[in-house]
Amino acid sequence: MPELHDLTALEQAGAIRSGELSPVELTEHYLARIDRLDDALGAFLTRTPEIARKQAAEAESEAAAARREDRELPPLHGVPVPVKDLNQVAGVRCTMGSRALADHVPTVDDHVAGKLRAAGTVLLGKTNTPEFGLPCYTENGLAPPARTPWDLQRSAGGSSGGAAAAVAGGLAPVAHASDGGGSIRIPASVCGLFGIKPSRGRVSSGPVLHDITGLSTSGPLARTVADAAALLDVLAGPMPGDPYAAPALPPGDTFAGCARRAPGRLRVAVLTDAPIPGVEIHPDCRAATADTAALLGELGHQVEELALPADDGIRYAFTRVWSVMAANRPVPPEGEELLMPLTRYLRARGAEVSGTDFAAAQYAFRMLAQTLADGLMPPGGYDVILSPTVARPPVPVGALRDDADPQAEFAAIGAFTPFTALYNATGQPAVSIPLQWNADGLPLGVMLGGRYGDEATLISLSAQLEAARPWIGRKPELW
């Protein structure tokens, strides 16, 4: 018989709706696994067992009432969904991965947390993140590093590394994550998960810490395409005060429905060379992309090679905007000395960026988005761009961190993730798909990027690839 954590999130939700499974039983199962395995995985910064038990009991009562009254429940009612510790949950410690905020307890929910609460999900805790989500690994001064369960000597990536370690290690069925430069897709790649970075404005970042740059967004990490799509349905939707709003789905449509829909024949561009000068792509990542391209061809899609000119302009613009974002994180004056070297370096750089330089960097993002919209992916152009998610297989814990030389560290981070930030700059949706593993048994994600506002095509195509080559049967040893 399968254990509860073997079930997908949608299977768990269906069993809760029918009365076959209690949210209380499900929550206790995950709390026990967290107690047993999290010291090794480093998935959580703050555990919330009391809140989880209270919410599970409320979800159980609500599910029983819905059965009596023959009414529908939200799609993930009663299912545990941890929240990344960059987002605020009222009454729960929110450190943002920083010792400077180790005792910070917000009094209000982010819109993301409010939507999860309204959907009847259960909060197991706040997942591990690097300081302010700045690097693509998850190591900080508050908790053990987040590790991929496929090899506990290797990093779970970042900045949603804790969320990915939790889902890949069976400590949660799905997880909230966020992505400002690849922070959903990078951990998805190195942890063997499916992750969606939605279109700019699809998910609200308010009401407290709106990202006016448009780089960052929240999204789902999951073991299956359908689970991720269902969680995106929970998270999506504009809120008052949002600076951006993605085009709405047609009335009555859902992202979960897109996972059950054939994508049709698509035109796919394959990008294997990094769009950043001097970055080498590991042969395993190239092979994973080539194999996926071949599979897409077998499924009837039109697949063509694409070469983008290597250009340092976008990396330069991204660095300026990223450093300004770092400089604007809410650090109390007495907390500056507690910050990690990379954070201090980026905050210092951000303080030096002039208003005109910051605006010029934002204009560079808009120009890139317009170029892709007009030249590469207009109606009749490419529907999807395929590339590696990251440039190398999962790296050892500590391999990218360099406290003695944070400038070199930031360069190494960029070389590890040369493809992901493109879609943060343009605001387009992108997904990482766990189709490939290398000879060492390490997961190798491949990335699909789509037109702005068109998560539907990416979800449908990902589900088609999942059906053609299912991955859910692959489980790490500690599962």
Side-chain angles (χ1 to χ4, degrees), residues 334-397:
E334 67 275 13
E336 290 286 343
E337 64 183 22
L338 299 175
L339 298 178
M340 300 186 74
L342 178 66
T343 305
R344 293 199 299 271
Y345 165 74
L346 288 172
R347 285 169 69 84
R349 288 199 63 174
E352 296 169 355
V353 177
S354 70
T356 53
D357 285 344
F358 183 70
Q362 295 277 48
Y363 279 123
F365 293 166
R366 300 293 86 76
M367 289 176 60
L368 175 63
Q370 198 66 53
T371 298
L372 287 175
D374 291 344
L376 189 60
M377 304 183 80
Y382 294 113
D383 300 293
V384 171
I385 298 175
L386 167 69
S387 73
T389 304
V390 294
R392 293 160 56 192
V395 299
V397 170

Side-chain angles (χ1 to χ4, degrees), residues 16-73:
I16 288 168
R17 283 194 299 274
S18 69
E20 299 172 61
L21 177 61
S22 158
V24 172
E25 178 189 5
L26 183 62
T27 296
E28 292 294 346
H29 177 81
Y30 281 114
L31 290 175
R33 285 186 64 81
I34 291 168
D35 284 344
R36 188 168 74 253
L37 297 173
D38 190 41
D39 286 346
L41 286 171
F44 286 87
L45 272 168
T46 300
R47 304 178 193 178
T48 56
E50 296 84 2
I51 291 173
R53 291 184 173 111
K54 181 177 183 292
Q55 291 180 339
E58 292 169 350
E60 185 165 320
S61 297
E62 179 65 12
R67 288 192 295 274
R68 288 195 305 270
E69 299 161 13
D70 193 27
R71 58 181 168 83
E72 289 295 317
L73 289 168

